[in-house]
Amino acid sequence: KPSGLWSGIFSRADVVVSSARRYKSQYRRLLTGVNESTGSLEDGVAILNSKHEIIWFNPAASRLLALDPAGDIGQRLDNLVRSPDLVRELTDSRGDTITILAPQDQARQLSLRIIPYEDRQSLAIVRDVTHQMKLERMRRDFVANASHELRSPLTVISGYLDALADADDLPDSWKVPIGETQRQAERMTRILSDLLELMRLESAEGRAEASPVDVCAMLELIEKEFAVRPQFPRLSLDLDAGLLLLGSESELHSVFYNLINNAVRFTPPDGKVHVCWEVENDGAIFVVEDTGIGIPEEDLPRITERFYRVDRGRSRDTGGTGLGLAIVKHALQRHDSTLAIESRVGQGSAFRCQFP
Ligand code: ADP
């Protein structure tokens, strides 16, 4: 039996060994708990190292992404799940939720999100969203079909109204109500066509077509359209001639037209609206700045929601549908761009779109 100095060392070692044993069994219990709880999760979870190789995944991830627990540890996730969006998420870590088709069942849609954490590791969270997507598609189809169905009767009503308004024998007392009915019918037509456009953008998948668009020519045409209307403030342009953008001509026209239209509608006639299109940070930037009424800070986060308006009456009276910014947001998404808004009540607003 050791004595003296050795006895002290051995009893210390005993303490260390038994506490290590205790920690080990604590860790084992913790690990079992983690395995059991992640095993019962409906969402798939996978841990990736800095090279995007899988170091662990739960049973749901194995089921959804067809991962083999025996063979796929150590494999890169983007080698097992083929998707350009996934590759982009892994390299850029933008934190966006992407939708992919299930590797073993192309009829199922999965949402996938990569969440980076310390040491450049990341967590991949995957969920089956097939049912949700189906409901979403039904909602869009319903709104699009309803808008489409309403359009034909409205065309007939507008036609008769126009004929009535032009009739020589129209009694004076009818002129005001018929004029107002015409304006309301026009408003309804605008709402329906904006709804159809929004539904079309929402259901279009992926990126917009990429043909070269002459943005300067487009902006000059839009400027001319507004210049002839005296109720609007003066528009000034600052354009980088020859700076083309790859995208969809009609969608980009929608973006620029809606933003400029808003700026002139929410700025008094003696105010200013400045439009700028130029190169910035390896890309191009489009900015519309106005000296208009501005947007209260608390409304800013909701301003791009469908039918969200700070002042419903003012929006309506100036010919708004409440859908313009929702259309802008969706069209920009399809051009890898986002809308940044700065605004001060009573001083004006700036809407910026940065294109890669
Ligand atoms: P609307 O048809 O009402 O303009 P939008 O979706 O285009 O619908 O805009 C939503 C709301 O955002 C507007 O009703 C208005 O309250 C506010 N808004 C948009 N652009 C501007 C702007 N340039 N200045 C002030 N308010 C704005």
Side-chain angles (χ1 to χ4, degrees), residues 24-245:
K24 205 165 149 186
S25 74
Q26 264 176 8
Y27 274 125
R28 197 172 289 136
R29 269 205 305 281
L30 186 67
L31 207 58
T32 316
V34 169
N35 269 330
E36 278 171 3
S37 54
T38 52
S40 58
L41 269 182
E42 270 184 39
D43 289 354
V45 184
I47 298 177
L48 313 178
N49 65 15
S50 59
K51 292 186 214 133
H52 315 316
E53 293 161 349
I54 304 172
I55 49 183
W56 176 89
F57 56 84
N58 72 345
S62 158
R63 182 168 44 79
L64 293 168
L65 295 173
L67 299 178
D68 171 12
D72 286 341
I73 297 287
Q75 299 279 351
R76 283 180 62 125
L77 181 65
D78 44 349
N79 283 346
L80 300 170
V81 178
R82 296 281 176 184
S83 150
D85 287 345
L86 173 62
V87 174
R88 198 199 58 223
E89 271 309 303
L90 286 170
T91 38
D92 296 357
S93 340
R94 298 210 285 197
D96 291 344
T97 299
I98 58 168
T99 311
I100 57 168
L101 296 179
Q104 271 188 339
D105 180 357
Q106 303 276 300
R108 303 209 76 77
Q109 286 170 297
L110 308 176
S111 78
L112 184 66
R113 192 162 164 224
I114 305 290
I115 304 166
Y117 60 100
E118 63 180 298
D119 270 354
R120 303 187 54 231
Q121 297 201 66
S122 51
L123 205 58
I125 311 275
V126 55
R127 178 175 292 181
D128 189 333
V129 288
T130 315
H131 184 61
Q132 226 170 302
M133 300 293 264
K134 192 174 155 209
L135 291 179
E136 188 57 24
R137 210 166 30 247
M138 281 165 68
R139 177 190 66 81
R140 281 197 307 261
D141 288 351
F142 173 75
V143 177
N145 289 339
S147 313
H148 205 78
E149 292 293 326
L150 286 168
R151 248 186 8 177
S152 330
L154 194 57
T155 312
V156 178
I157 294 172
S158 300
Y160 278 118
L161 278 173
D162 293 346
L164 258 178
D166 289 343
D168 295 332
D169 51 353
L170 184 74
D172 278 351
S173 59
W174 281 79
K175 285 195 175 138
V176 173
I178 295 236
E180 181 54 25
T181 318
Q182 270 181 307
R183 268 188 298 282
Q184 294 299 337
E186 271 163 29
R187 194 171 142 237
M188 231 167 130
T189 310
R190 266 199 311 277
I191 296 177
L192 291 180
S193 78
D194 273 6
L195 267 176
L196 276 168
E197 184 176 3
L198 184 60
M199 293 308 118
R200 197 187 56 72
L201 283 170
E202 279 192 358
S203 45
E205 268 163 26
R207 217 189 164 278
E209 58 168 297
S211 29
V213 175
D214 186 349
V215 175
C216 292
M218 191 185 266
L219 294 174
E220 279 162 359
L221 270 180
I222 297 177
E223 192 262 340
K224 281 205 181 77
E225 234 177 282
F226 286 106
V228 292
R229 296 194 239 173
Q231 75 271 34
F232 289 141
R234 216 171 53 82
L235 257 174
S236 60
L237 303 182
D238 198 348
L239 310 178
D240 189 334
L243 178 59
L244 304 185
L245 180 62

Side-chain angles (χ1 to χ4, degrees), residues 262 265-266 290 295 303 308-310 315 320-322 324-325 351:
N262 279 350
R265 283 171 45 233
F266 295 106
D290 64 53
I295 303 161
I303 210 81
Y308 190 87
R309 288 163 280 196
V310 177
S315 158
T321 61
L325 290 181
F351 289 75

